[in-house]
Amino acid sequence: MTAPAHLAPGEPPTPRIGVLALQGDVREHLAALSRCGADAVPVRRPGELVDLDAIVLPGGESTTIDKLSVIFEVREPLIARLRAGMPAYGSCAGMIMLADRVLDGRPDQRSFGGLDVTVRRNAFGRQVDSFEDDLQLDGITGPAAPFHAIFIRAPWVEAAGPGVRVLGTAAGHPVAVETDTLLATSFHPEVGGDDRVHAYFVAKVRATLLAGLRAPAEDADRADGPVPAGR
Ligand code: GLN
């Protein structure tokens, strides 16, 4: 695999991470990603997807993001990039958009999919539409410093496929999950000033890029021909 143009050989990769800017808290994600060392750019149009290393799907309203993605003609190319393995992080409505299956959605609501989970929309109920909780998140927090998570009409993960790891729970339900390339949280880490979830995602994207960049050198060392670039 050839290095993307913006990655100079030998330097730590600066991933170019898009934030889907159709609706929702786009600015906060852009700021958090920039603080974590990414080249963060808003994305609305299909052409803006082309040179991305990863994408963030922000919180907002999943039914609106669904509709606007069709109007802005970004739905199909984004699904194609996700199917091709582009790393993605979805928070709240973004988690719903990444989910393969959505419960309590509007009848005509569609997600982008890619993440083998069933999510329940607005799962925490009307009486606690918004709440805060201190969470332990595997690989992200330590016992002395939980993550103060803000939930706003949040979904939870009702069921997860075998390839999905649960990183954290609230009220007994998974609220942070990942695969090798995808990350999703029910809560909004872009508000509150704690960048650990974004830093975790940027590191995940870097690791994906490094795996791609390392492959040719590994291939060259082998006498018995090329091996697939394991992702
Ligand atoms: N309840 C919203 C939805 O269904 C998500 C809320 C949020 O992103 N804060 O999309």
Side-chain angles (χ1 to χ4, degrees):
M1 185 193 239
T2 324
H6 59 289
L7 298 179
E11 287 183 9
T14 299
R16 180 163 297 150
I17 304 184
V19 178
L20 188 64
L22 300 175
Q23 188 250 356
D25 46 359
V26 174
R27 223 176 14 178
E28 293 82 355
H29 279 289
L30 289 169
L33 291 166
S34 301
R35 288 194 298 270
C36 295
D39 175 14
V41 291
V43 168
R44 274 181 208 90
R45 295 287 181 187
E48 293 163 341
L49 284 169
V50 172
D51 60 355
L52 295 185
D53 298 313
I55 193 157
V56 169
L57 309 178
E61 176 52 53
S62 54
T63 53
T64 306
I65 295 171
D66 169 28
K67 284 194 185 109
L68 290 175
S69 74
V70 175
I71 292 168
F72 281 79
E73 298 176 343
V74 81
R75 177 183 163 83
E76 295 305 328
L78 176 53
I79 290 174
R81 288 293 314 265
L82 293 171
R83 287 206 180 129
M86 177 171 69
Y89 165 45
S91 95
C92 203
M95 172 193 259
I96 297 170
M97 294 310 297
L98 273 185
D100 281 345
R101 295 164 298 277
V102 179
L103 300 174
D104 293 340
R106 296 231 318 229
D108 60 342
Q109 176 169 2
R110 294 183 302 172
S111 65
F112 301 135
L115 183 59
D116 181 15
V117 294
T118 304
V119 298
R120 187 174 292 282
R121 219 173 137 235
N122 302 332
F124 289 95
R126 194 168 285 169
Q127 73 282 14
V128 281
D129 274 350
S130 300
F131 66 100
E132 301 179 16
D133 199 359
D134 286 330
L135 307 180
Q136 288 300 338
L137 301 173
D138 278 357
I140 298 177
T141 62
F147 196 92
H148 188 71
I150 296 167
F151 295 80
I152 305 167
R153 292 174 55 241
W156 68 41
V157 174
E158 187 113 348
V164 177
R165 296 182 288 276
V166 174
L167 303 181
T169 60
H173 296 275
V175 292
V177 294
E178 71 168 3
T179 66
D180 287 348
T181 52
L182 302 176
L183 176 67
T185 63
S186 303
F187 53 90
H188 288 268
E190 73 282 7
V191 287
D194 184 340
D195 289 335
R196 284 179 290 173
V197 171
H198 289 84
Y200 185 77
F201 181 62
V202 172
K204 206 173 167 67
V205 176
R206 282 203 169 106
T208 309
L209 290 170
L210 286 168
L213 294 178
R214 249 196 330 264
E218 284 169 0
D219 292 352
D221 287 339
R222 291 177 68 98
D224 53 351
V227 291
R231 283 208 154 198

